[in-house]
Amino acid sequence: MERGALNGVRIADFSRVLAGPYATMLLADLGADVVKVERPGAGDETRQWRPPADEHGTSTYFLGVNRNKRSVALDLSDEAGRERARALVAESDVLVENFRPGTMERLGLGHDELKARHPGLIYCSISGFGTGAGAAIPGYDLLVQAVGGLMSVTGEPEGEPTKAGVALVDVITGLHATLGIMAALRHRDATGEGQRVEVNLLSSLLSAMVNQASAYAVAGVVPGRMGNAHPSIAPYETFPTADRPLALAVGNDGQFAALAGALGRPDLAGDPRFRTNPERVAHRAELRRTLAERLCTAGADHWTGVLSAAGVPAGPVNTVDEAFAFAERLGLPGIVTVPGTDGGAGARQVACPITLSASPAHHRLPPPALGEHTAEVFGDSGAVVDG
């Protein structure tokens, strides 16, 4: 049996949609036994979020964040279902949930009640806006991108505020949940004491906005939309070429001198407007016009080769399929095939991005069918059995 760094850790996963399932999938990739608790007949909402779907009609959204898990179907509105849920928690190290605040308490599965019975339990709650004044606000990624300020700094200056192309806040929150759980496991290893881990979408976004958030917190600067430009670095944006956009990420003066030389304009590095980064930021518009004029004489792939050879960070704006092909050429994790159940065809999955030399991640189980493992987990007696 493949053993990961978290082998022997069982997680009772009551989460749905994205932030929680992404966190528990990463923990499962690292060896944890994740038992996903789903509502009979419907399951995780993302099972119905299609198109797109695979050849069996299963939502690719659900498939993307639920590998390496076992699914049990429990009706938590029924006492028998809740009793099974409590039995599962009793045999688990970690509980993860992202119901609206107060729901787990009403079900008799709240933190305080379970902690009294299981003092070593790590109880991770994921919410949209915390458990205080924002408890009743629905936690949807688009809403948080809007009210959390991300959309205000995304998009063209004269255009409308724009969301990121993926549910970025959910993903970031899932990563924060994973980090919190790992820290709590380390604390329990040292003390035997469990604890509550709480993360919310809004706080996670404010933290993840890093330099933009710090501009406000430290200097009182309220940033705005700049398209693909950077508020503090130039040139650090996309430029037109003869065919498609090219991204330039010039982070220091040495790289700018290399860029100027590679473009056949070494004089730019000595131009008083462009010698240092602050000067380039101050004269961003003139610099952009000058560089675009030269870059439009050839295509993005040509310039990627020329500039990369000169040590200048540059690359085309790839489509998703081109991005996976690029990762493959570099020998980086991309797409893997997870073995199918009962010898069936494997499932294509996006690989776990974490590489560990001694206890690597494993892609051992395909995303489960709804309730597929109920009998396996509880056995005929209803008691939880080891996975």
Side-chain angles (χ1 to χ4, degrees):
M1 178 180 178
E2 297 170 333
R3 297 177 64 87
L6 297 180
N7 186 72
V9 173
R10 173 172 279 171
I11 298 174
D13 183 10
F14 291 83
S15 68
R16 308 100 56 226
V17 189
L18 182 51
Y22 185 69
T24 56
M25 181 180 73
L26 292 178
L27 296 167
D29 288 347
L30 298 176
D33 174 23
V34 175
V35 179
K36 183 177 180 69
V37 178
E38 300 190 72
R39 186 170 42 146
D44 190 313
E45 292 95 314
T46 59
R47 288 185 181 273
Q48 310 304 320
W49 288 9
R50 56 181 186 270
D54 70 0
E55 65 274 17
H56 305 295
T58 305
S59 160
T60 60
Y61 200 120
F62 174 83
L63 295 175
V65 289
N66 284 290
R67 69 163 169 264
N68 283 342
K69 303 177 186 179
R70 298 188 291 165
S71 170
V72 299
L74 298 180
D75 183 358
L76 297 181
S77 68
D78 176 76
E79 180 54 33
R82 292 194 294 270
E83 188 57 39
R84 281 197 158 191
R86 285 189 283 268
L88 175 63
V89 172
E91 298 297 326
S92 298
D93 303 280
V94 180
L95 182 153
V96 179
E97 62 90 14
N98 63 348
F99 288 106
R100 186 169 293 191
T103 300
M104 290 291 274
E105 283 74 15
R106 289 195 298 272
L107 294 172
L109 297 167
H111 169 260
D112 292 346
E113 181 174 341
L114 293 180
K115 180 182 179 181
R117 299 183 185 183
H118 315 293
L121 179 68
I122 294 163
Y123 193 109
C124 178
S125 294
I126 302 171
S127 66
F129 298 90
T131 58
I137 305 175
Y140 286 92
D141 186 277
L142 173 62
L143 177 61
V144 181
Q145 288 199 34
V147 302
L150 180 59
M151 288 175 64
S152 76
V153 298
T154 307
E156 294 299 323
E158 303 305 320
E160 66 175 302
T162 305
K163 73 176 181 66
V166 297
L168 191 63
V169 181
D170 276 325
V171 173
I172 292 167
T173 305
L175 291 171
H176 288 165
T178 303
L179 177 61
I181 290 168
M182 296 293 285
L185 283 169
R186 177 68 182 89
H187 175 80
R188 196 187 67 174
D189 286 345
T191 67
E193 177 188 24
Q195 61 182 298
R196 187 166 196 175
V197 177
E198 294 184 88
V199 296
N200 70 79
L201 301 181
L202 179 58
S203 296
S204 292
L205 172 58
L206 294 176
S207 172
M209 288 177 68
V210 287
N211 60 304
Q212 300 282 41
S214 182
Y216 170 71
V218 177
V221 174
V222 179
R225 295 185 300 284
M226 297 183 62
N228 291 317
H230 193 287
S232 307
I233 313 172
Y236 197 98
E237 58 185 295
T238 57
F239 289 83
T241 70
D243 50 16
R244 58 174 171 157
L246 178 80
L248 287 182
V250 176
N252 56 57
D253 297 339
Q255 288 177 347
F256 181 73
L259 169 67
L263 293 179
R265 292 291 309 273
D267 58 296
L268 294 177
D271 190 312
R273 298 171 299 172
F274 309 140
R275 278 180 304 200
T276 67
N277 179 69
E279 290 167 336
R280 292 192 295 275
V281 171
H283 298 91
R284 184 194 309 274
E286 302 100 297
L287 178 61
R288 178 175 173 81
R289 283 195 297 269
T290 301
L291 295 179
E293 181 178 329
R294 179 64 178 140
L295 290 167
C296 281
T297 63
D301 289 343
H302 167 79
W303 288 121
T304 296
V306 169
L307 297 177
S308 296
V312 179
V317 177
N318 283 332
T319 57
V320 173
D321 57 329
E322 291 170 334
F324 275 107
F326 182 50
E328 184 176 356
R329 290 198 301 273
L330 298 180
L332 297 175
I335 293 177
V336 296
T337 300
V338 181
T341 55
D342 300 325
R348 281 167 57 87
Q349 292 271 290
V350 180
C352 179
I354 303 168
T355 299
L356 298 175
S357 61
S359 52
H362 294 290
H363 309 92
R364 59 190 185 278
L365 293 174
L370 174 59
E372 178 181 350
H373 303 95
T374 304
E376 176 182 301
V377 170
F378 292 103
D380 292 337
S381 67
V384 176
V385 296
D386 290 335

